[in-house]
């Protein structure tokens, strides 16, 4: 295995990729911390970049992005990599300039599991599942219509994911959002795997927060009855889309 192969393997194993450690506002390649959100009008906010306080209206103007209201954007639960700025930049590369807001939230009656799906870049991705009594701590991304549509296309609804209601999300940093968060939480959309979720025989599904990508790959390989290491399995799936799709079909059948 050469160095490029190892790079592909390590990228797949790094899922869900790097995400900010706190609520953020993304504008193009810049990711700002959110210092104050005193109204629904984003241009009235204050942001932080490299330890410096920045008025949001200046950041928006510099990026050529319009001012927006938070309540005019669609909140989408960012299970998995959809809260990773590089992943968002890839998915939104053809969208016009606009802010993306990422809020760390608690989602009631929701759990995040691994999907019975193999991404084209080799990772086993996440799936949002309704689970009574569970609470998932997860980023929720607020998107303008163009980015909402771009994200929707990337999730291949009906083929890989179904759209589900994950409403009731409340920000973890309640003090920051006390002027802008609705009393009953945000009406949030999420994506749930069409093919089901990954589990060992006779055991509950793999919880995303408790299981590494390497371990998820091992469970999938075991379910398929194949004698491969995760790096070998990942490289085969990246190199041969038809093999990956055939494995997905077998995996869904094996996990039903």
């Amino acid at each position: 295995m050469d160095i490029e192969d190892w790079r592909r393997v390590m990228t797949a194993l790094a899922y869900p990729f790097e995400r900010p450690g706190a609520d953020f506002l993304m504008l193009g390649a810049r990711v700002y911390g959110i210092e104050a959100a005193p109204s629904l009008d984003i241009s009235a906010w204050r942001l932080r970049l490299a330890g410096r306080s920045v008025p949001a209206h200046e950041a928006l103007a510099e990026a050529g992005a319009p001012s927006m209201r938070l309540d005019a954007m669609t909140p989408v639960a960012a299970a998995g990599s959809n809260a990773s700025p590089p992943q968002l930049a890839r998915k939104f590369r053809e969208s016009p300039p606009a802010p993306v807001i990422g809020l760390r939230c608690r989602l009631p009656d929701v759990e995040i599991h691994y999907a019975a799906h193999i991404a084209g870049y080799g990772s086993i991705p996440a799936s949002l599942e309704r689970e009574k009594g569970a609470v998932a701590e997860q980023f929720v991304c607020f998107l303008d219509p163009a980015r909402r549509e771009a994200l929707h296309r990337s999730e291949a609804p009906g083929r890989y994911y179904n759209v589900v209601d994950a409403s009731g999300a409340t920000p973890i940093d309640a003090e920051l959002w006390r002027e802008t968060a609705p009393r009953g939480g945000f009406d949030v959309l999420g994506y749930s795997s069409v093919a089901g979720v990954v589990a060992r025989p006779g055991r509950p599904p793999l919880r995303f927060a408790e299981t590494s990508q390497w371990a998820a790959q091992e469970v999938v390989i075991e379910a398929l009855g194949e004698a491969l290491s995760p790096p070998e399995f990942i490289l085969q799936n990246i190199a041969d889309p038809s093999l990956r799709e055939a494995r997905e079909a077998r995996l869904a059948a094996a996990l039903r």
Side-chain angles (χ1 to χ4, degrees), residues 144-167:
D144 70 305
R147 280 163 178 75
R148 168 72 186 93
E149 180 57 31
L151 183 70
H152 194 59
R153 288 195 305 270
S154 78
E155 302 299 330
R159 181 181 181 190
Y160 293 135
Y161 287 95
N162 292 319
V163 179
V164 295
D165 179 16
S167 294

Side-chain angles (χ1 to χ4, degrees), residues 25-102:
L25 184 149
M26 179 178 168
L27 277 168
R30 283 194 172 174
V31 180
Y32 297 85
I34 300 172
E35 189 174 90
S39 78
L40 292 167
D41 181 1
I42 294 170
S43 65
W45 295 4
R46 291 202 69 84
L47 311 175
R48 288 200 75 76
L49 182 68
R52 181 172 60 92
S53 183
V54 180
H57 68 87
E58 291 183 7
L60 291 165
E62 184 178 349
S67 178
M68 292 184 173
R69 287 176 57 88
L70 191 68
D71 56 353
M73 304 172 82
T74 301
V76 181
S81 67
N82 283 335
S84 173
Q87 182 81 324
L88 293 172
R90 180 182 69 81
K91 291 188 176 187
F92 301 154
R93 61 187 178 276
E94 296 180 4
S95 300
V100 174
I101 315 298

Side-chain angles (χ1 to χ4, degrees), residues 15-29:
Y15 184 94
F17 315 127
E18 288 297 319
R19 295 174 287 180
D23 300 341
F24 67 90
L25 184 149
M26 179 178 168
L27 277 168

Side-chain angles (χ1 to χ4, degrees), residues 200-225:
R200 290 186 172 92
R203 296 180 63 180
L206 299 186
R207 293 185 71 237
F208 193 80
E210 296 175 352
T211 313
S212 70
Q213 178 67 209
W214 184 287
Q217 295 274 348
E218 288 182 323
V219 173
V220 167
I221 293 166
E222 182 182 344
L224 292 171

Side-chain angles (χ1 to χ4, degrees), residues 199-250:
R200 290 186 172 92
R203 296 180 63 180
L206 299 186
R207 293 185 71 237
F208 193 80
E210 296 175 352
T211 313
S212 70
Q213 178 67 209
W214 184 287
Q217 295 274 348
E218 288 182 323
V219 173
V220 167
I221 293 166
E222 182 182 344
L224 292 171
E226 301 195 14
L228 294 167
S229 69
E232 291 171 318
F233 186 69
I234 288 166
L235 287 175
Q236 288 182 7
N237 289 324
I238 293 171
D240 189 341
S242 61
L243 173 62
R244 175 174 57 81
E245 290 175 5
R247 281 172 167 164
E248 282 191 332
R250 287 168 49 214

